[in-house]
Amino acid sequence: KQEVTQIPAALSVPEGENLVLNCSFTDSAIYNLQWFRQDPGKGLTSLLLIQSSQREQTSGRLNASLDKSSGRSTLYIAASQPGDSATYLCAVEDSSYKLIFGSGTRLLVRP
Amino acid sequence: DAGVIQSPRHEVTEMGQEVTLRCKPISGHNSLFWYRQTMMRGLELLIYFNNNVPIDDSGMPEDRFSAKMPNASFSTLKIQPSEPRDSAVYFCASSYRGSHYGYTFGSGTRLTVV
């Protein structure tokens, strides 16, 4: 059974810092890995999707990497801003096309 | 496309009442998913459909929950009878199975059972 773990559970940083969020999964037989952002009381917004054959994806200040063999992904946020404060969720699409979520990292960027 | 559309956005109901949540997936997507989000358990997959057929309902908590997808553009999740522990945010998501475009989520329905 696929399990997804995110570390840390919460993170507080001053504005301008570069930061890394970690995601690990137990079964390397994944189809895609997707990072989402969720603001309080809101839905999920897709940030980046990495196909199983890819190593990384970039969008603006965000960079996500994937090491399928070790079951790890990282989300790198450069020059963090208060507007980046949200919960970041990692999800893997397993071989049966189900999306399995981690419990998220709650990020606070302090002005 | 307007994205995945869920209704209602908020639902408050009394224990024992029937609750029906609705979802319209993105046109052209062939897979639809119902998730439940709570503080204690995070995001849990309840059921998913492919080409309108239920593929995996192992996440449905009990017989009080049922889901249907009568056509490619509409799905319902029904709880009968509802209980306070069903209070959560219910999300619907759709995707094109086998593609690398990922999942798109609706805005969710916040259900409160009193």
Side-chain angles (χ1 to χ4, degrees):
Chain A
K1 179 186 173 187
Q2 178 74 267
E3 293 184 2
V4 181
T5 303
Q6 290 188 246
I7 294 173
L11 185 62
S12 177
V13 300
E15 182 177 4
E17 270 203 10
N18 302 323
L19 55 100
V20 174
L21 308 181
N22 296 293
C23 172
S24 62
F25 46 95
T26 55
D27 186 348
S28 62
I30 66 169
Y31 199 67
N32 294 315
L33 185 144
Q34 200 166 355
W35 282 92
F36 293 87
R37 168 184 173 141
Q38 185 174 30
D39 293 285
K42 303 294 185 183
L44 280 69
T45 301
S46 180
L47 297 173
L48 290 165
L49 179 144
I50 311 177
Q51 301 175 24
S52 59
S53 59
Q54 297 176 327
R55 298 284 294 185
E56 66 176 346
Q57 284 287 335
T58 298
S59 176
R61 294 182 294 107
L62 305 180
N63 175 276
S65 67
L66 173 63
D67 184 343
K68 207 172 69 160
S69 61
S70 67
R72 296 180 188 275
S73 176
T74 61
L75 179 66
Y76 176 83
I77 302 177
S80 58
Q81 303 170 358
D84 295 330
S85 298
T87 295
Y88 290 81
L89 293 155
C90 169
V92 298
E93 185 174 7
D94 67 12
S95 53
S96 60
Y97 303 105
K98 294 189 295 187
L99 197 63
I100 311 299
F101 280 87
S103 54
T105 293
R106 196 168 58 254
L107 173 65
L108 174 65
V109 181
R110 307 186 305 271
Chain B
D1 201 315
V4 176
I5 299 173
Q6 291 187 246
S7 65
R9 291 296 307 274
H10 302 274
E11 177 80 37
V12 180
T13 191
E14 291 186 348
M15 182 174 63
Q17 296 297 306
E18 177 180 295
V19 175
T20 299
L21 312 181
R22 297 173 175 79
C23 176
K24 176 179 168 54
I26 288 177
S27 177
H29 281 185
N30 60 5
S31 292
L32 182 140
F33 306 80
W34 284 100
Y35 285 84
R36 178 171 68 176
Q37 186 177 39
T38 61
M39 288 292 291
M40 290 296 294
R41 301 173 69 92
L43 273 159
E44 303 173 279
L45 176 63
L46 300 178
I47 185 171
Y48 87 91
F49 295 84
N50 185 246
N51 293 324
N52 312 339
V53 176
I55 302 300
D56 186 340
D57 65 355
S58 59
M60 297 286 262
E62 46 197 279
D63 292 345
R64 298 185 296 106
F65 286 69
S66 62
K68 294 182 179 179
M69 191 164 186
N71 56 62
S73 59
F74 183 66
S75 175
T76 59
L77 178 68
K78 186 177 294 186
I79 307 172
Q80 166 64 19
S82 58
E83 297 182 4
R85 59 194 169 116
D86 302 330
S87 297
V89 181
Y90 291 81
F91 287 103
C92 175
S94 71
S95 73
Y96 191 82
R97 179 171 173 170
S99 77
H100 291 292
Y101 295 105
Y103 289 54
T104 302
F105 279 74
S107 299
T109 295
R110 182 173 297 275
L111 173 65
T112 303
V113 183
V114 299

